[in-house]
Amino acid sequence: MWQACVRLALRQEGLITLDQALGLGCSSGSFKGHVAKGDIERILPGVYRLSGAPESPRQRIRAACLWGGEGTAASHTSAAALVGLKGFTLADLHAVTPKDPRRSPEWLHLHQLPTCRPGTRPISGVPTTPPWITLVDLGSVAAAGEVRSALDQALHLGIVSLTQMRWALATFGRDRHRGTSVLRTLLAERGSGYAPPESDGEALFYALVEGSDLPPGVRQFPVWDGKRWRRLDYAWPDPGVGTEFDGWMTH
């Protein structure tokens, strides 16, 4: 039975809960014996780590989700990092849960909710709030510029749409909630046909051009080169002028 517990823990970044071990047929006495021998160590109430298993922020947020149980998920900046949005890491851990946040460990920012967030799914085994909810939450803990970049990245990657974000704002936004007001402002700036920048450098280029006294142009303007459709980063169709912004990666 213990070997089955070890195999499960290895699939969970070295983690296992007491309930999981009991479900695999390991008795409470046997489990306590392995704790006493140092085979496993308690890191949260009911959550244990195999001795020698490497520690990491990802392991910690996964342990927090195991401890919180059903409805607990990585959120805010942690969810943004797990979904792959640039500029966010797991250095500062956030999770949502129906559990009492006053009982959370000091290294975890726990946000209490009455129910599980719909659309929550595992990313590399860690339950994670969906991008459209993550972006609503993000403004409460991140600077407006970081939320702007995250929203544009998510739009460019196609993991959210403006229609979806407006629905998420109306459904999950809350009055007097900073994240709600930040996202509301950003969505008001992005109308139908909005083309998000494909990089931070391109975003700076757009801001430079659109903040100047040049006439308004078109982002991501499609052109036919005789063989296939291509896109110009920015164009003024009437005079027939187009421009491309190439960052360090291109060179």
Side-chain angles (χ1 to χ4, degrees):
M1 298 303 179
W2 177 243
Q3 289 305 313
C5 293
V6 171
R7 287 193 293 271
L8 175 59
L10 291 174
R11 295 197 299 271
Q12 298 182 152
E13 301 192 50
L15 302 170
I16 189 169
T17 68
L18 174 59
D19 287 344
Q20 288 174 332
L22 296 177
L24 290 171
C26 184
S27 69
S28 177
S30 173
F31 192 84
K32 289 179 180 178
H34 286 287
V35 174
K37 288 190 296 182
D39 295 333
I40 49 175
E41 57 183 331
R42 178 183 178 274
I43 58 172
L44 284 172
V47 183
Y48 296 79
R49 178 174 56 222
L50 289 177
S51 180
E55 299 180 41
S56 68
R58 183 186 293 272
Q59 185 192 70
R60 275 193 164 189
I61 193 65
R62 190 163 188 174
C65 291
L66 288 170
W67 167 72
E70 186 176 359
T72 304
S75 65
H76 298 72
T77 54
S78 298
L82 288 167
V83 83
L85 297 180
K86 291 184 294 184
F88 298 95
T89 69
L90 292 175
D92 198 24
L93 299 178
H94 289 263
V96 290
T97 183
K99 211 175 183 75
D100 185 348
R102 291 173 297 182
R103 300 176 57 198
S104 64
E106 61 180 14
W107 45 262
L108 177 67
H109 300 283
L110 204 60
H111 308 266
Q112 190 173 28
L113 295 173
T115 58
C116 175
R117 289 295 204 192
T120 293
R121 64 183 180 88
I123 296 179
S124 299
V126 181
T128 306
T129 56
W132 51 92
I133 292 178
T134 298
L135 288 164
V136 177
D137 292 336
L138 205 52
S140 65
V141 297
E146 294 176 308
V147 184
R148 177 182 293 106
S149 176
L151 174 60
D152 281 342
Q153 285 183 64
L155 290 169
H156 173 61
L157 293 170
I159 58 177
V160 300
S161 68
L162 286 174
T163 299
Q164 189 178 46
M165 287 312 307
R166 291 190 175 95
W167 166 80
L169 183 65
T171 305
F172 302 104
R174 305 191 302 277
D175 291 339
R176 297 184 296 278
H177 181 262
R178 182 176 175 272
T180 298
S181 60
V182 168
L183 187 61
R184 183 180 291 114
T185 299
L186 293 174
L187 291 179
E189 298 171 355
R190 288 154 174 75
S192 176
Y194 174 76
E198 297 182 359
S199 67
D200 290 340
E202 195 170 299
L204 290 172
F205 173 74
Y206 286 160
L208 177 66
V209 172
E210 294 169 357
S212 72
D213 57 1
L214 290 168
V218 180
R219 299 182 183 188
Q220 303 298 324
F221 185 72
V223 292
W224 178 255
D225 69 358
K227 294 182 180 179
R228 61 175 177 166
W229 285 100
R230 298 179 181 271
R231 289 180 301 150
L232 295 172
D233 288 337
Y234 205 83
W236 290 267
D238 188 29
V241 175
T243 184
E244 283 286 291
F245 177 87
D246 292 329
W248 287 111
M249 292 298 292
T250 304
H251 299 291

Coordinates of all heavy atoms in Angstrom, one line a residue, residues 64-73 96-99 113-117 120 127:
A64 N -1.2 23.9 -1.4 CA -2.3 24.8 -0.9 C -3.6 24.3 -1.5 O -4.6 24.3 -0.7 CB -2.0 26.2 -1.3
C65 N -3.6 23.9 -2.7 CA -4.9 23.4 -3.3 C -5.3 22.1 -2.7 O -6.5 21.9 -2.5 CB -4.7 23.3 -4.9 SG -4.5 24.9 -5.7
L66 N -4.4 21.2 -2.4 CA -4.7 20.0 -1.8 C -5.2 20.2 -0.4 O -6.2 19.6 0.1 CB -3.5 19.1 -1.7 CG -3.0 18.4 -3.0 CD1 -1.6 17.8 -2.9 CD2 -4.0 17.4 -3.6
W67 N -4.6 21.2 0.3 CA -5.1 21.5 1.7 C -6.5 22.1 1.7 O -7.3 21.8 2.4 CB -4.1 22.5 2.3 CG -4.6 23.1 3.6 CD1 -4.7 22.5 4.8 CD2 -4.9 24.5 3.7 NE1 -5.2 23.5 5.7 CE2 -5.3 24.7 5.1 CE3 -4.9 25.6 2.8 CZ2 -5.7 25.9 5.5 CZ3 -5.3 26.8 3.3 CH2 -5.7 27.0 4.7
G68 N -6.7 23.0 0.7 CA -8.0 23.7 0.6 C -9.1 22.8 0.2 O -10.3 23.0 0.6
G69 N -8.8 21.8 -0.6 CA -9.8 20.9 -1.1 C -10.6 21.4 -2.2 O -10.2 22.3 -2.9
E70 N -11.8 20.9 -2.4 CA -12.7 21.2 -3.5 C -13.0 22.7 -3.5 O -13.3 23.3 -2.5 CB -14.0 20.4 -3.5 CG -14.9 20.6 -4.7 CD -16.1 19.8 -4.6 OE1 -16.3 19.0 -3.7 OE2 -16.9 19.8 -5.6
G71 N -12.8 23.3 -4.7 CA -13.1 24.7 -4.8 C -11.9 25.6 -4.7 O -12.0 26.8 -4.9
T72 N -10.8 25.0 -4.3 CA -9.5 25.8 -4.1 C -8.7 25.8 -5.4 O -8.6 24.7 -6.0 CB -8.7 25.3 -2.9 OG1 -9.5 25.2 -1.7 CG2 -7.4 26.1 -2.7
A73 N -8.2 26.9 -5.8 CA -7.5 27.0 -7.1 C -6.5 28.2 -7.0 O -6.7 29.2 -6.4 CB -8.5 27.2 -8.2
V96 N -7.8 31.1 -4.5 CA -9.2 31.3 -4.0 C -9.7 30.0 -3.4 O -9.3 28.9 -3.9 CB -10.1 31.7 -5.2 CG1 -9.8 33.1 -5.6 CG2 -10.0 30.8 -6.4
T97 N -10.6 30.1 -2.4 CA -11.1 28.9 -1.8 C -12.3 29.2 -0.9 O -12.5 30.4 -0.5 CB -10.0 28.4 -0.8 OG1 -10.5 27.1 -0.2 CG2 -9.7 29.4 0.3
P98 N -13.2 28.2 -0.7 CA -14.3 28.4 0.2 C -13.8 28.3 1.7 O -14.6 28.6 2.6 CB -15.3 27.3 -0.1 CG -14.8 26.7 -1.4 CD -13.3 27.0 -1.5
K99 N -12.6 27.9 1.9 CA -12.0 27.7 3.2 C -11.8 29.1 4.0 O -11.7 30.1 3.3 CB -10.7 27.0 3.1 CG -10.3 26.1 4.3 CD -9.0 25.3 3.9 CE -8.7 24.4 5.0 NZ -9.5 23.2 5.0
L113 N -14.1 32.6 -1.2 CA -15.3 32.7 -2.1 C -16.3 31.7 -1.7 O -16.0 30.7 -1.0 CB -14.8 32.3 -3.6 CG -13.9 33.2 -4.3 CD1 -13.4 32.5 -5.6 CD2 -14.4 34.6 -4.5
P114 N -17.6 32.0 -2.0 CA -18.6 31.1 -1.5 C -18.6 29.8 -2.3 O -19.0 28.7 -1.7 CB -19.9 31.9 -1.8 CG -19.6 32.9 -2.8 CD -18.1 33.2 -2.6
T115 N -18.2 29.8 -3.5 CA -18.3 28.6 -4.4 C -17.0 28.5 -5.3 O -16.3 29.5 -5.4 CB -19.5 28.5 -5.2 OG1 -19.5 29.7 -6.1 CG2 -20.8 28.5 -4.4
C116 N -16.8 27.4 -5.9 CA -15.8 27.2 -6.9 C -16.0 28.1 -8.1 O -17.1 28.3 -8.5 CB -15.7 25.8 -7.3 SG -14.5 25.4 -8.6
R117 N -14.9 28.7 -8.6 CA -15.0 29.5 -9.8 C -15.3 28.6 -11.0 O -14.6 27.6 -11.3 CB -13.7 30.2 -10.1 CG -13.4 31.4 -9.2 CD -14.3 32.5 -9.3 NE -13.8 33.8 -8.8 CZ -14.5 34.8 -8.6 NH1 -15.8 34.8 -8.8 NH2 -13.9 36.0 -8.2
T120 N -12.7 26.6 -13.8 CA -11.4 26.2 -13.2 C -11.0 24.8 -13.7 O -11.8 23.9 -13.8 CB -11.6 26.1 -11.6 OG1 -11.8 27.4 -11.1 CG2 -10.3 25.5 -11.0
P127 N -5.0 23.1 -9.9 CA -6.3 23.7 -10.2 C -6.1 25.2 -10.4 O -5.5 25.9 -9.5 CB -7.2 23.4 -9.0 CG -6.6 22.2 -8.4 CD -5.1 22.3 -8.6

